[in-house]
Amino acid sequence: MSRVRADEEEYWHSSKFRAFTFDDEDDELSQLKESKRAVNSLRDIVDDDDDDLERVSWSGEPVGSISWSIKETASGSTSSLDGRDSSPQKGSSSYAALPKQASSYSLSSLFKGEGFLCATQLCLSLSALTDTGVKNYAPELRRPKAEYKDYSSDWSPKDTVRRMQRGKVCSLERFRSLQDKLVLLDEAVAGHDGNVITAVLIFLKRTLRREILFRELEVRQVALCHLIHFLRETGEQKFLLDLLRFLDRTEEVALSQYREHLNIQDVEKRREFLKGCIGLPFSAEDTSHIQDHYTLLERQIIIEANDRHLEMAGQSELFRKYPRKASILNMPLVTTLFYSCFYHYTEAEGMFSSPTNLKKTFKIPDKQYVLTALAARAKLRAWGDVDALLTTKNWLGYTKKKAPIGFHRVVEILQRNNAPVQVLQEYVRLVEDVETRLNLATKYKCHDVVIETYRDLKDRIQLTAYKCKVERGSAEEEKINSILNNMVRNYCF
């Protein structure tokens, strides 16, 4: 008590101003006292009312100001680090551990030896102090408390699913027990949101053993279908095969293994792989398809090797006139048939590249064969082959035109390949439906067919109207005039 009383007496009886000495710079206590006296001298500048005076700390700066808070925080952290341990203390903020920066601005330096300092200069000095020092120590603003709920671990499975449906960030790591994970999956399925279901399945796939996951999904068919689709899309073949084997879906396992041929680029390796797929537990229909696929690829390898040799040697006029644009390897059956009808149409049935051989081997229907062969021969403008393709003989030896695809489609294919009018008219006449025949004949300007059809219908009005659509003085106009005259003559008699 005596020491405190002595300090108070010294404070109240000390002089307001002291002489300047160099020793004061080294004496910390004298600096504190001088700072206190300098701050108290502000009463004469600001106001005489003691109640309006700003409280000042012994360091010479206003209590509660930014500069004072910074220095107090920095000094406190420095002393705690020096006095106890160099390791960071629990609960201390990140900016408290920064080193204390010496500022060139202080109230003691402003007042020392200057007598008076105007209020404007003081404000400018304090603003400069704020601009330079606060940026290094100002703490980060906290998020609103409502935002922290997005990362809360107190959400129930139902609330978590709802938030995921709204696109909110939700951590699924809090669901650690198997029961909680299954409830979460059931809630996701009940929400009927495929994205949420897939997200939960990815979480379960990562955190559960395969046996447990497969067992639980076996009784949850909706989630199971989502997982199978996800695995197929992402290409996780091994995981998918394990799941299908667990479910005893042998045919799906075989089909999944068969799909692996798409990733094999080497033709010989793909052929060997397909050969091995024939023994997989497919259904009878699928086994037939796998066998055909293997046989087709085997044929394509043989045809490709022979045709490449002919093309490089220049021995075939057809290859010189129509060079191949692409390899036939790995092409579909219809494309292979078109290729054979284009380059190997006249070959004997015993040749692998013969169209008839392909038709017999792979049981190609007549409609598909005629459609493909017609397109190939029409592209080559081989009209004789087209006529032979559509001509059949009965058991009495009579010939007739027959088109399994319909003559209206024959006309369309021929017209797309720029067939002459004479060729088009021959097949337009064979169209049985009168209205379709007239439409095709008018569309492709087969005048003879139009005139003959109206003649058979004895429609003088349509003949007279169609006479205006042909050229004057042409053979078609003369034909129409002749038919009209005959109609008039026959009507008179």
Side-chain angles (χ1 to χ4, degrees):
M1 291 295 295
S2 61
R3 183 176 180 180
V4 174
R5 186 178 298 275
D7 291 339
E8 291 179 354
E9 290 293 327
E10 181 181 359
Y11 170 76
W12 290 111
H13 295 287
S14 61
S15 176
K16 188 174 183 180
F17 297 98
R18 291 186 59 186
F20 177 80
T21 61
F22 286 100
D23 296 335
D24 291 340
E25 296 292 337
D26 299 329
D27 188 1
E28 184 177 359
L29 182 60
S30 62
Q31 290 181 6
L32 293 176
K33 292 179 180 181
E34 184 178 356
S35 299
K36 180 193 69 174
R37 289 193 299 271
V39 172
N40 289 334
S41 67
L42 285 173
R43 296 181 180 181
D44 299 332
I45 299 174
V46 182
D47 201 349
D48 293 336
D49 192 0
D50 293 340
D51 296 335
D52 296 334
L53 290 178
E54 189 179 22
R55 293 185 179 183
V56 178
S57 67
W58 288 112
S59 63
E61 295 177 347
V63 177
S65 66
I66 296 178
S67 178
W68 178 81
S69 301
I70 293 171
K71 290 191 176 184
E72 287 297 321
T73 304
S75 62
S77 61
T78 305
S79 62
S80 62
L81 290 174
D82 294 340
R84 294 191 179 186
D85 195 356
S86 59
S87 61
Q89 299 295 323
K90 182 177 180 181
S92 62
S93 59
S94 59
Y95 58 87
L98 294 173
K100 181 177 179 181
Q101 293 186 353
S103 176
S104 59
Y105 299 95
S106 66
L107 290 178
S108 60
S109 63
L110 291 175
F111 286 100
K112 187 185 300 180
E114 295 183 2
F116 284 93
L117 183 66
C118 65
T120 303
Q121 292 174 332
L122 178 61
C123 292
L124 291 174
S125 301
L126 291 176
S127 65
L129 174 62
T130 304
D131 292 338
T132 56
V134 172
K135 293 180 181 179
N136 296 329
Y137 292 95
E140 180 184 359
L141 295 177
R142 290 189 176 183
R143 296 174 179 265
K145 291 184 178 181
E147 294 188 13
Y148 283 96
K149 294 182 180 179
D150 291 344
Y151 308 98
S152 174
S153 60
D154 297 332
W155 295 107
S156 65
K158 188 173 184 179
D159 293 335
T160 302
V161 170
R162 287 180 178 177
R163 294 183 64 80
M164 292 174 69
Q165 289 175 341
R166 294 196 298 267
K168 297 291 185 178
V169 178
C170 297
S171 176
L172 305 181
E173 300 297 332
R174 64 172 297 271
F175 300 102
R176 297 183 179 180
S177 67
L178 177 61
Q179 185 63 30
D180 289 343
K181 294 177 181 179
L182 296 179
V183 172
L184 178 65
L185 178 60
D186 293 337
E187 291 292 341
V189 172
H192 304 289
D193 191 322
N195 293 331
V196 176
I197 296 174
T198 304
V200 174
L201 286 172
I202 294 174
F203 169 67
L204 298 184
K205 173 176 170 290
R206 182 170 53 85
T207 57
L208 292 178
R209 292 202 308 270
R210 293 189 179 184
E211 296 78 8
I212 299 176
L213 178 62
F214 295 166
R215 185 183 68 241
E216 298 298 336
L217 289 179
E218 191 174 8
V219 295
R220 294 171 173 84
Q221 291 298 315
V222 175
L224 178 62
C225 292
H226 275 270
L227 182 60
I228 291 175
H229 180 74
F230 172 76
L231 295 175
R232 284 175 177 167
E233 290 294 323
T234 56
E236 299 185 50
Q237 190 69 14
K238 188 177 183 304
F239 196 98
L240 176 60
L241 292 177
D242 291 343
L243 174 59
L244 295 176
R245 289 192 185 98
F246 179 87
L247 300 174
D248 198 23
R249 298 185 181 181
T250 56
E251 292 187 13
E252 293 188 36
V253 172
L255 288 174
S256 298
Q257 289 181 328
Y258 167 69
R259 289 186 61 186
E260 285 296 307
H261 81 273
L262 298 174
N263 301 323
I264 302 175
Q265 301 299 325
D266 186 78
V267 180
E268 292 294 338
K269 291 182 179 179
R270 179 178 289 194
R271 183 176 66 86
E272 292 299 324
F273 180 83
L274 291 175
K275 185 177 180 180
C277 289
I278 297 175
L280 294 177
F282 291 104
S283 63
E285 184 179 1
D286 291 339
T287 302
S288 176
H289 291 324
I290 302 301
Q291 180 66 53
D292 288 344
H293 190 178
Y294 168 74
T295 305
L296 177 62
L297 182 58
E298 197 172 32
R299 294 285 184 89
Q300 288 174 347
I301 293 174
I302 297 172
I303 296 172
E304 177 68 21
N306 293 333
D307 289 356
R308 187 188 298 115
H309 175 72
L310 291 174
E311 188 176 25
M312 294 179 63
Q315 299 175 0
S316 175
E317 182 181 356
L318 187 60
F319 283 111
R320 290 198 304 269
K321 189 175 181 180
Y322 301 98
R324 299 190 309 159
K325 296 181 179 180
S327 171
I328 197 177
L329 296 175
N330 300 318
M331 292 295 177
L333 177 59
V334 175
T335 306
T336 307
L337 178 61
F338 181 89
Y339 179 91
S340 297
C341 292
F342 193 91
Y343 290 106
H344 306 281
Y345 188 71
T346 58
E347 288 185 1
E349 185 178 343
M351 302 292 293
F352 284 151
S353 56
S354 171
T356 53
N357 189 303
L358 290 174
K359 178 185 177 183
K360 183 177 180 180
T361 302
F362 298 101
K363 300 179 177 61
I364 300 175
D366 289 340
K367 286 186 177 181
Q368 184 66 63
Y369 178 79
V370 171
L371 182 64
T372 307
L374 178 63
R377 303 319 293 173
K379 192 173 185 65
L380 288 172
R381 304 179 66 83
W383 311 123
D385 293 338
V386 171
D387 186 73
L389 181 66
L390 300 175
T391 301
T392 60
K393 288 184 179 182
N394 59 13
W395 61 280
L396 294 175
Y398 294 103
T399 61
K400 62 176 295 187
K401 293 290 192 299
K402 183 180 179 181
I405 61 176
F407 283 105
H408 63 285
R409 296 194 66 184
V410 172
V411 173
E412 293 175 354
I413 294 173
L414 295 179
Q415 195 277 332
R416 282 200 301 267
N417 289 278
N418 302 318
V421 177
Q422 294 78 10
V423 176
L424 283 177
Q425 288 186 152
E426 181 180 358
Y427 295 100
V428 171
R429 287 190 181 98
L430 298 174
V431 177
E432 295 182 0
D433 185 70
V434 176
E435 185 177 356
T436 304
R437 187 196 315 156
L438 284 173
N439 290 334
L440 291 174
T442 304
K443 181 179 180 181
Y444 301 133
K445 298 181 179 181
C446 299
H447 301 303
D448 290 342
V449 178
V450 176
I451 295 170
E452 292 170 1
T453 304
Y454 286 140
R455 180 197 63 189
D456 297 338
L457 294 174
K458 298 180 180 182
D459 194 337
R460 296 180 69 255
I461 298 176
Q462 292 295 338
L463 274 174
T464 304
Y466 195 74
K467 181 181 177 180
C468 301
K469 298 181 181 180
V470 299
E471 296 181 3
R472 287 183 174 271
S474 62
E476 288 81 9
E477 186 182 23
E478 294 179 0
K479 189 174 182 178
I480 293 174
N481 290 331
S482 177
I483 294 173
L484 290 175
N485 292 333
N486 291 333
M487 286 182 177
V488 173
R489 189 180 299 111
N490 292 334
Y491 178 75
C492 292
F493 289 100

